[in-house]
Amino acid sequence: MKVLKFGGTSMGSAESIRQVVAIIQEQRRMAYQANKDGGLAVVASAMSGVTNQLLQMASQAEQGAEFEQSLQQLQERHFQVVYALLETRHQNQALMELKLLVNELETILHGIRALRELSARTADLVMSFGERLSTTLLSHILRQYEPDVTYVDAREWIKTDSHFGNARVYTERSYALICKAVNQHPATLFCITGFIGSDEQGHTTTLGRGGSDYTAALVGAAIHAEEIQIWTDVDGFMTADPRIVKKAFPLEEISYTEAMELSYFGAKVIYPPTLIPVILQKIPVVIRNTFHPEFPGTVIREKAKRNGTLIRGISSINHISLINIQGSGMVGKSGVSGRLFALFARENINIILITQASSEHSITIAVTPAHAEKARKLIEQEFELELATRKMEPQKSSMIFLFWRLWVKICGRRRDYPVNCSAPWVAMESMWWPLHRVRRNTIFLWW
C-alpha cells in the first residue's frame, strides 16, 4: 500500500482538488495493474490559508470582536467546491456534514468570546477543523468514483502527549491502532485528516505546523508502506530557493540525511520530523508536484546516487536570533555547553545552530526570535555567578545575517575552489550570486 499526502495548495480550490482526485485514481489504477488490492492511504491538509484563518477567528473571538463574516467565508469556500465537483444527488449529504462541522466550530468560537480566553488546548481544537473540513470534502468527492472510501479522523489513530501546539506522538500505540484498522480493510481507500491527534484524555492535539507530512509518515511506517508520496506545488527538492536563484533545478535523488538537513535549514518542501519514522524501515519518500504530475519529482531514500556536483543544494533560514556568550572564564572550563543545552532543553527552547571558537573563549547559539529574549534571561540567571565575577561578559541577542566573505560562485558542474578566498565556491549554476543581495536576518548554508 502507498501513502499519498496532499498539501494545502493541492487542496486549495475546486480545480486543484479535481487534479488530486485524478492523481488518486491513477495511483489505484496502477496498483490494480500490478495485481495489488488497490488499497491507498490519502492524507489531506486543510485548504490553503484556512489554518491561519481559523487562528485569526479564534483571536478575534478572544478579543470580543466579530468573527461571523470570516466564518461564513470559510463555509462558503468549502460549499463552492461541493457545488463544483459533486453531482447534485450527492451534494446534500456532503453539505450537511460540512455544515455540522461549521456549527460546531461556531459554538467553540462563541465560547472563546464569552470567556475572553484562548488556551493552547482550545487553539488546537479550533485548528483541527481545517483538516476535518477538507478531508470530509475530499472523501465525498472520491465516493463518486471509488466505492470503498473511508473517512478517518486521525484523532482515532494518532495518540500523543498533551503538549498542545506541537504534541509528541506515542508511536507504538499509534502504530497498533493504524495497523488494526488497515489490516481489517486492506483494499480500502482511506481519507485521513493530517496534522491532528489526541491525548490520553481525548483532547485534540496538533503535530506542529506542517504536521500533515508527519501524519503520512506515521501511517506509512505503521503499515510498512511501499512508498510515501508528498504532493505539493513544487517539482521536488530544489538545488536552491528559486525565488533567490532563478536557475535552481530539482534534484532527482537525495538521502534521508540530506533531506533532513535541508528541511531543518529552510527548504520548506517537507516537514523535518517526517523522515524520522521512515528511516528505520527505509521507506522511500517521493516529492511530487500536483500541478505537474508527469514530472517524477525527488526521491528521498537511504542512499542516493551523486548528481555530479560538489554539493546537493543551498538552503537558508530567515529571521534568526544569535546569542553570543564569551569571557575568559570559559577558556579550558568544561561543562559550559552542557549547562546551556540542559537549560534550553528544560525550557523547551530549540537550538538551531551552535558554534564555539577554537580558543573556547566564546559560544554562539542561534534560536528563533520568539525565544530570543527568554533565552537571554535564562542565560543570565544560569550564569549569574560568572557574570558577577566578570568571568563572563553580558551577552546580547540580535537579528543578524551570517555570511561568508566575498562571493559564492554558482558554477555549473565544476569542482574548483577560489584562490585566496576563505569561502568555498558552490557548484550549481552558471551565475554569480553576491551574498549581500540576500535579505538580512538570514543564515546561509550549503551541503
Side-chain angles (χ1 to χ4, degrees):
M1 182 180 285
K2 292 182 180 180
V3 178
L4 281 62
K5 180 265 176 180
F6 294 93
T9 51
S10 301
M11 298 293 297
S13 67
E15 193 56 40
S16 61
I17 293 175
R18 195 192 306 274
Q19 183 65 34
V20 166
V21 171
I23 290 168
I24 293 170
Q25 290 180 296
E26 175 64 16
Q27 290 292 326
R28 293 206 92 184
R29 185 188 64 79
M30 291 169 60
Y32 289 134
Q33 284 184 343
N35 295 319
K36 298 177 181 177
D37 54 29
L40 278 181
V42 176
V43 177
S45 295
M47 296 180 77
S48 56
V50 165
T51 302
N52 288 336
Q53 186 179 5
L54 289 166
L55 285 174
Q56 184 182 29
M57 285 190 288
S59 178
Q60 289 169 337
E62 182 185 26
Q63 296 165 16
E66 297 292 327
F67 60 79
E68 284 79 4
Q69 183 178 356
S70 184
L71 184 63
Q72 181 63 33
Q73 292 171 352
L74 177 69
Q75 175 180 286
E76 189 61 25
R77 183 177 179 186
H78 289 81
F79 280 11
Q80 287 300 321
V81 177
V82 171
Y83 299 139
L85 299 184
L86 276 172
E87 297 176 10
T88 304
R89 61 194 175 97
H90 297 304
Q91 289 180 6
N92 284 343
Q93 182 66 30
L95 291 171
M96 183 184 71
E97 290 185 26
L98 292 171
K99 183 60 178 175
L100 287 172
L101 286 170
V102 172
N103 288 347
E104 183 184 348
L105 172 60
E106 184 177 18
T107 300
I108 294 167
L109 292 172
H110 278 300
I112 294 170
R113 186 159 64 187
L115 295 172
R116 296 290 199 275
E117 181 181 347
L118 178 61
S119 66
R121 189 176 94 183
T122 304
D124 274 7
L125 179 58
V126 170
M127 285 191 289
S128 74
F129 283 90
E131 275 68 21
R132 290 159 67 187
L133 285 165
S134 66
T135 309
T136 297
L137 184 61
L138 180 62
S139 64
H140 277 282
I141 296 168
L142 285 169
R143 286 191 186 108
Q144 289 188 128
Y145 313 101
E146 306 288 341
D148 51 352
V149 176
T150 299
Y151 168 85
V152 178
D153 187 329
R155 294 176 295 181
E156 300 174 5
W157 286 7
I158 309 297
K159 299 301 175 181
T160 73
D161 63 11
S162 299
H163 188 228
F164 300 102
N166 192 14
R168 182 174 66 87
V169 175
Y170 297 138
T171 52
E172 290 187 10
R173 284 190 58 196
S174 300
Y175 287 176
L177 291 168
I178 294 167
C179 283
K180 181 180 179 181
V182 173
N183 290 338
Q184 289 176 348
H185 306 282
T188 296
L189 198 168
F190 295 96
C191 280
I192 308 160
T193 57
F195 181 55
I196 61 175
S198 63
D199 65 7
E200 299 282 357
Q201 292 75 41
H203 299 137
T204 300
T205 58
T206 59
L207 308 182
R209 296 298 292 266
S212 293
D213 290 352
Y214 192 26
T215 302
L218 290 167
V219 173
I223 64 175
H224 305 284
E226 60 179 283
E227 183 177 272
I228 297 172
Q229 299 177 2
I230 306 294
W231 290 85
T232 180
D233 57 356
V234 295
D235 283 336
F237 264 97
M238 306 293 284
T239 52
D241 187 339
R243 294 170 299 181
I244 301 174
V245 182
K246 300 303 180 185
K247 295 183 180 180
F249 54 88
L251 293 162
E252 183 180 346
E253 290 185 6
I254 55 175
S255 68
Y256 293 130
T257 303
E258 290 165 339
M260 289 183 72
E261 292 291 349
L262 288 169
S263 296
Y264 273 111
F265 285 101
K268 297 179 181 179
V269 176
I270 192 170
Y271 183 52
T274 300
L275 297 173
I276 296 172
V278 304
I279 287 175
L280 291 177
Q281 298 183 34
K282 302 178 182 178
I283 301 171
V285 178
V286 186
I287 310 299
R288 302 284 297 274
N289 190 341
T290 303
F291 310 101
H292 190 190
E294 64 276 10
F295 192 82
T298 300
V299 180
I300 306 170
R301 52 169 49 108
E302 183 184 21
K303 294 181 180 179
K305 62 184 181 182
R306 302 305 303 175
N307 60 357
T309 62
L310 179 65
I311 62 159
R312 286 288 189 192
I314 301 174
S315 63
S316 63
I317 312 176
N318 297 324
H319 308 298
I320 293 295
S321 292
L322 297 182
I323 302 176
N324 186 56
I325 307 161
Q326 63 183 35
S328 58
M330 297 169 58
V331 178
K333 186 175 180 179
S334 61
V336 175
S337 297
R339 287 170 66 184
L340 271 176
F341 280 118
L343 174 66
F344 285 7
R346 192 165 60 244
E347 298 294 331
N348 289 317
I349 295 176
N350 182 45
I351 297 177
I352 297 170
L353 184 74
I354 183 167
T355 66
Q356 183 172 17
S358 57
S359 65
E360 301 181 352
H361 180 262
S362 66
I363 296 175
T364 300
I365 57 173
V367 297
T368 61
H371 288 145
E373 187 59 23
K374 180 181 179 181
R376 186 184 64 81
K377 291 179 179 178
L378 288 170
I379 292 170
E380 289 177 350
Q381 294 170 8
E382 177 70 23
F383 295 96
E384 183 178 8
L385 179 61
E386 288 84 348
L387 289 167
T389 56
R390 297 185 180 277
K391 292 181 179 179
M392 188 178 291
E393 300 173 14
Q395 22 68 51
K396 296 179 180 181
S397 62
S398 61
M399 297 292 293
I400 147 175
F401 167 41
L402 287 186
F403 61 92
W404 284 265
R405 284 175 288 175
L406 299 181
W407 307 65
V408 174
K409 186 178 181 183
I410 315 269
C411 56
R413 299 183 181 275
R414 293 172 57 191
R415 293 177 175 270
D416 55 342
Y417 283 80
V419 179
N420 299 323
C421 178
S422 61
W425 292 13
V426 181
M428 284 176 57
E429 302 181 34
S430 299
M431 62 177 288
W432 284 95
W433 187 16
L435 284 178
H436 65 75
R437 291 185 183 175
V438 182
R439 71 181 74 177
R440 292 180 60 80
N441 310 333
T442 299
I443 290 183
F444 184 77
L445 304 145
W446 57 77
W447 282 267

